[in-house]
Amino acid sequence: MNRSVKRELWLLNTLLRYKRLSFNELQAKWKDSYLNDDDSDLSLRTFHGHKDAIEGMFFVKIKCDASDGYRYYVEKTTEMNQDRLLEWLLNSFNIADIMETARQMPDRVLLDKMHGGTEYLEDIVTAMKNFNELHVVYQSYNHPEPYDCHYQPYTLKAVRQRWYLLGHLVESKDIRTLALDRIQKLEITKKSFKLPKDFSADDYYLNSIGIWRSKKSKSEKVIIRVSPKMAQYLRSLPLHPSQEEIKDTDKYVDFKYILEINHELVLRILGMGMSTEVLEPDILREAVSHELKIALYHYKYGWEKGDNEDRLKKNDG
């Protein structure tokens, strides 16, 4: 990333972070920035050059409010998904540059490992943009050997340090999800495809947790009861965008969601441990209870006794 782009991203990130800043305040922020390695000043001419470049790249407007001390602010003009892409870009910019600064102390800056597959991102995005099918050699967990398939890429999604690709698997004539770290080979073909007119990635994942969906699943009202401490965590990092706090007491807090019932939701609830109880629906409450019983069985008797694997699979929506 060249120096000019870094400064432009710094300006956009700073305005988004502090909401409104005068030019003098921006100059002071730049003076203290780790990017200002030559101790240069932010001139008005440079500022307007960066401002014009930002507006051309990111579909935002940087405006000046004369009634608020001539302070500058960012007015977003993009759709929600474009806003998410902008947020990802700025997060990546912040992390990349901080890591560059912190590389001399790697034992003090620790990161979660990002699983493989990122080497295919460029080809996947190119195929998505040009509506080209992909030829993929894929190693599924459900198949002993890798297999060839042809795939029409619809949507990329990152979940828990993994990249996933949602699209139409030609051989099965169905929508399927591929984990990028399970791809062994990927090529862009010359065969084109059309995105279904009624397809929306946001709608597809509207009421789901994680990446996996089931044709049998339907959206239901979900109510969970959590400890006050867990409630603080959920308020800062909601389990799902539909989260609604419906009851708050000294001993517990109830949250309501509209969700599809699947195994990934069960695992997320189990991950909250003893701080969480499912109140409804019964099917989810029973699924969580069943997982707990099987887990206790394993601890008591081990895996050798009983066909526990089949029992576990019963809950996989």
Side-chain angles (χ1 to χ4, degrees):
M1 189 183 296
N2 65 47
R3 187 181 183 85
S4 180
V5 172
K6 284 184 178 182
R7 291 187 176 200
E8 291 158 6
L9 288 172
W10 172 86
L11 176 59
L12 178 57
N13 187 63
T14 301
L15 285 173
L16 287 172
R17 178 182 177 185
Y18 293 99
K19 309 303 181 186
R20 287 171 174 255
L21 292 171
S22 67
F23 179 66
N24 288 338
E25 289 169 332
L26 280 167
Q27 283 183 312
K29 296 291 184 188
W30 172 248
K31 202 72 175 175
D32 294 334
S33 171
Y34 63 89
L35 286 177
N36 189 11
D37 51 10
D38 58 358
D39 199 31
S40 62
D41 293 325
L42 179 64
S43 68
L44 189 61
R45 180 179 179 180
T46 299
F47 165 73
H48 281 289
H50 291 341
K51 170 180 172 293
D52 293 342
I54 289 168
E55 292 179 345
M57 282 191 296
F58 301 112
F59 302 100
V60 299
K61 291 289 184 182
I62 297 178
K63 294 190 173 182
C64 183
D65 188 350
S67 65
D68 187 25
Y70 291 93
R71 282 183 165 81
Y72 291 91
Y73 64 97
V74 176
E75 181 182 75
K76 295 182 182 180
T77 60
T78 61
E79 297 177 359
M80 181 175 63
N81 194 47
Q82 291 174 313
D83 285 344
R84 288 201 294 260
L85 290 174
L86 174 59
E87 183 179 351
W88 262 81
L89 177 61
L90 292 174
N91 286 341
S92 300
F93 159 72
N94 286 331
I95 292 172
D97 271 7
I98 290 296
M99 289 304 99
E100 181 69 20
T101 304
R103 64 181 176 176
Q104 296 179 358
M105 45 181 182
D107 58 329
R108 296 170 61 189
V109 180
L110 306 179
L111 299 173
D112 283 344
K113 178 182 177 181
M114 190 71 182
H115 293 274
T118 54
E119 66 268 27
Y120 302 118
L121 285 173
E122 183 176 352
D123 283 348
I124 290 172
V125 171
T126 299
M128 290 171 62
K129 181 180 178 181
N130 297 325
F131 297 97
N132 289 121
E133 279 189 9
L134 295 169
H135 173 220
V136 177
V137 178
Y138 191 73
Q139 176 63 74
S140 169
Y141 289 124
N142 298 321
H143 292 81
E145 299 293 335
Y147 61 89
D148 285 52
C149 62
H150 294 83
Y151 196 80
Q152 299 172 352
Y154 290 179
T155 300
L156 272 170
K157 188 175 183 182
V159 178
R160 295 189 179 188
Q161 290 83 52
R162 268 194 170 95
W163 281 100
Y164 294 91
L165 181 60
L166 174 72
H168 180 78
L169 185 61
V170 176
E171 283 76 7
S172 67
K173 299 180 181 179
D174 196 7
I175 290 182
R176 295 290 177 85
T177 300
L178 304 183
L180 265 60
D181 61 309
R182 306 300 298 169
I183 294 175
Q184 295 192 353
K185 185 178 179 181
L186 182 146
E187 295 176 336
I188 302 174
T189 73
K190 294 182 178 180
K191 188 172 182 180
S192 61
F193 71 93
K194 291 184 179 180
L195 194 68
K197 292 182 179 180
D198 59 348
F199 176 79
S200 164
D202 283 328
D203 290 344
Y204 186 85
Y205 290 114
L206 181 62
N207 296 320
S208 66
I209 292 289
I211 194 71
W212 307 111
R213 290 195 56 202
S214 170
K215 295 177 182 179
K216 298 178 182 178
S217 298
K218 63 178 182 178
S219 300
E220 297 190 44
K221 180 176 69 173
V222 173
I223 298 179
I224 63 173
R225 176 164 292 174
V226 302
S227 67
K229 186 174 182 179
M230 180 59 71
Q232 293 179 14
Y233 177 81
L234 288 174
R235 288 168 183 145
S236 62
L237 188 62
L239 177 65
H240 185 265
S242 65
Q243 179 171 294
E244 179 184 350
E245 190 171 328
I246 58 175
K247 192 172 184 179
D248 183 7
T249 72
D250 294 337
K251 294 184 177 180
Y252 60 83
V253 180
D254 292 348
F255 289 97
K256 184 180 79 171
Y257 306 87
I258 303 298
L259 293 170
E260 292 183 1
I261 310 303
N262 59 28
H263 193 52
E264 196 158 357
L265 173 59
V266 172
L267 294 180
R268 290 288 294 274
I269 291 172
L270 288 169
M272 299 181 196
M274 64 179 185
S275 300
T276 306
E277 177 192 1
V278 177
L279 299 185
E280 56 179 277
D282 288 341
I283 186 173
L284 178 59
R285 183 179 175 90
E286 291 169 2
V288 172
S289 176
H290 181 76
E291 292 275 355
L292 291 170
K293 289 175 182 177
I294 295 296
L296 288 172
Y297 185 94
H298 289 159
Y299 276 100
K300 188 172 182 179
Y301 300 108
W303 283 82
E304 291 77 12
K305 293 186 178 182
D307 195 359
N308 299 317
E309 189 68 23
D310 287 341
R311 298 185 187 183
L312 288 168
K313 287 181 180 178
K314 288 180 181 179
N315 283 329
D316 193 345

